[in-house]
Amino acid sequence: MPLRSEPCRVLLVDRERTLENRVRPLFRHGDLVSCDEGADYESALAIARAQQPDILLVDLADSDAFGAIEAVMAEIPTPILCGKAPGAREVDGFQALGLGALEIFEWPTHESDAFWADLTRKLNLLSQIRVVKHVRGARKHRRDPPRRGKDQAP
């Protein structure tokens, strides 16, 4: 899969909106651009809808991340890469994958240039994957059509 010609637009999603400071090295070479100042879990869907990023980078710092993943995949399917803390529960990664995330990585204790290069490559490649609405989230977030009365014609 060829890399894109324009920079990949990344929406950073984390609990306290501090991810942008942590991942600043990702944006230093121009391959990636942050499409917003970032989003907390509650505003991720609205910002993703407005900004239409190529990919979301989600920090699995707490369980609110799963709701953000589920909502985005139910309404505006977008590739998602999730980072988890060293020693975090493995089940959290599997839950994120079950909700539609494409891949999980572990934040290293010491970020190196090789780590940032690998993360940039992953974001660029994963952003090109076509994703579809996630069944589980779509059922939960579905808007049911109004019901017809007995006297109304179909």
Side-chain angles (χ1 to χ4, degrees):
M1 196 180 301
L3 292 179
R4 57 181 65 244
S5 58
E6 70 279 352
C8 176
R9 295 170 34 87
V10 181
L11 177 59
L12 307 172
V13 182
D14 68 326
R15 176 181 48 208
E16 297 175 12
R17 299 177 69 166
T18 57
L19 194 55
E20 187 170 22
N21 288 332
R22 182 174 195 177
V23 300
R24 191 176 310 275
L26 280 175
F27 304 108
R28 67 179 167 217
H29 297 295
D31 298 335
L32 304 171
V33 294
S34 178
C35 67
D36 196 86
E37 69 276 358
D40 58 26
Y41 300 130
E42 293 78 27
S43 62
L45 178 61
I47 293 174
R49 187 179 290 126
Q51 298 291 326
Q52 299 181 348
D54 297 313
I55 190 165
L56 273 65
L57 177 57
V58 178
D59 187 16
L60 295 179
D62 65 31
S63 60
D64 290 343
F66 304 120
I69 294 168
E70 183 177 61
V72 167
M73 292 308 292
E75 296 200 25
I76 49 161
T78 306
I80 298 174
L81 174 62
C82 296
K84 67 182 189 75
R89 301 175 336 147
E90 290 295 321
V91 71
D92 290 347
F94 289 117
Q95 184 175 356
L97 292 171
L99 293 170
L102 295 176
E103 188 174 337
I104 311 301
F105 71 92
E106 187 172 291
W107 291 106
T109 52
H110 302 290
E111 291 113 358
S112 65
D113 287 342
F115 167 76
W116 294 119
D118 185 53
L119 188 55
T120 298
R121 183 184 59 77
K122 282 182 186 180
L123 286 163
N124 273 306
L125 290 173
L126 293 174
S127 71
Q128 296 178 63
I129 295 175
R130 296 196 67 181
V131 294
V132 297
K133 286 189 176 187
H134 197 268
V135 176
R136 179 176 165 186
R139 269 188 265 144
K140 187 175 181 181
H141 295 272
R142 179 179 61 209
R143 295 183 186 117
D144 291 325
R147 294 185 180 203
R148 294 188 175 138
K150 288 193 282 183
D151 299 331
Q152 293 178 340

